[in-house]
Amino acid sequence: MASDTLQPLNSLGPMPKGPETDPDNPARKDYLEGRTFFKQGEYTQAAMAFHNALRGFEEQGDQIGMANAADHLGDACLAKGEFAMALANYQQAHTICEKEDDSFSVLALNKKMAAAYRKLNDHDRALELLYDILEHYRLTNNPKGAVEVLILIAETYNETGDKASAADAYRSVSSIHKRFKHSRLAEEFAQRASELEQQG
């Protein structure tokens, strides 16, 4: 399921080169160690390393470092099933990215926060974020992104038992595919919508 895929924020990207990110910087060492642990599936050690990195970057006043560490700490918490902690860390990163006017990272964090809200069964908050993301994709004319988020919206409605709204979301996916002459996918999502309506 797409919402469970843990990806680091791409647009925050690698931390900038400079004295604050030199190899002897203990916060940077903790951060890189955390990434290694995370890749190895050692989520507890990763969380500890990212937590230490976050504290170190806070002491240095390094906003980008803090956003990266908080984002990755959120990923480690999500992987460990600590959904409320994941959400708190994503929100910290989100606040920094909004201040930095980094809309791509804000979007990526909104997706992760929606996934955490779904895990916490707070479907209303998840849907609010997902509809914001959908609006962004409509405004930027990104049909691929719109399809991805509509599928998440359908899954979220399905989790709440609202089969009719889930079917509507799948029907929207179908119509986007139809517009781009993806007839097999258009049919597949139309079929999913019909099945949900029959269940409802």
Side-chain angles (χ1 to χ4, degrees):
M1 188 164 67
S3 59
D4 293 329
T5 337
L6 301 173
Q7 293 295 325
L9 286 186
N10 294 333
S11 48
L12 283 174
M15 286 184 290
K17 299 279 180 264
E20 75 284 1
T21 59
D22 70 46
D24 298 326
N25 181 335
R28 183 169 175 77
K29 277 184 182 167
D30 286 329
Y31 173 80
L32 295 172
E33 196 175 83
R35 287 185 62 165
T36 302
F37 281 132
F38 190 86
K39 280 180 195 151
Q40 295 167 346
E42 303 285 348
Y43 301 125
T44 301
Q45 287 97 319
M48 283 168 32
F50 288 134
H51 174 80
N52 292 339
L54 181 57
R55 295 293 156 260
F57 288 130
E58 278 172 356
E59 284 165 20
Q60 296 164 19
D62 180 347
Q63 294 289 303
I64 302 298
M66 285 165 58
N68 271 290
D71 170 51
H72 283 73
L73 181 51
D75 290 347
C77 291
L78 199 65
K80 289 171 63 186
E82 295 170 355
F83 307 125
M85 284 294 293
L87 200 52
N89 285 293
Y90 290 146
Q91 282 167 333
Q92 184 177 355
H94 193 278
T95 302
I96 295 167
C97 292
E98 277 194 320
K99 266 193 268 183
E100 299 286 323
D101 205 20
D102 182 351
S103 60
F104 290 106
S105 292
V106 166
L107 192 70
L109 283 159
N110 280 345
K111 286 181 192 172
K112 293 180 181 196
M113 286 163 58
Y117 278 127
R118 282 175 69 186
K119 294 288 190 186
L120 290 164
N121 291 319
D122 191 344
H123 295 98
D124 290 343
R125 298 289 283 281
L127 285 165
E128 199 178 303
L129 283 170
L130 291 169
Y131 276 110
D132 283 351
I133 296 165
L134 181 61
E135 185 57 21
H136 169 85
Y137 285 141
R138 284 197 175 131
L139 292 171
T140 56
N141 195 20
N142 182 340
K144 183 179 183 288
V147 161
E148 286 168 9
V149 81
L150 278 163
I151 292 169
L152 294 177
I153 288 169
E155 289 170 358
T156 307
Y157 276 126
N158 205 18
E159 286 163 9
T160 68
D162 185 346
K163 307 283 186 198
S165 296
D168 284 346
Y170 281 139
R171 203 162 276 111
S172 296
V173 171
S174 174
S175 72
I176 292 170
H177 280 304
K178 199 176 288 178
R179 199 167 60 227
F180 288 93
K181 312 249 187 292
H182 304 157
S183 45
R184 186 184 60 77
L185 286 166
E187 206 169 294
E188 184 188 315
F189 283 100
Q191 180 65 33
R192 280 196 212 181
S194 303
E195 283 165 11
L196 280 172
E197 280 174 337
Q198 286 160 15
Q199 291 168 28

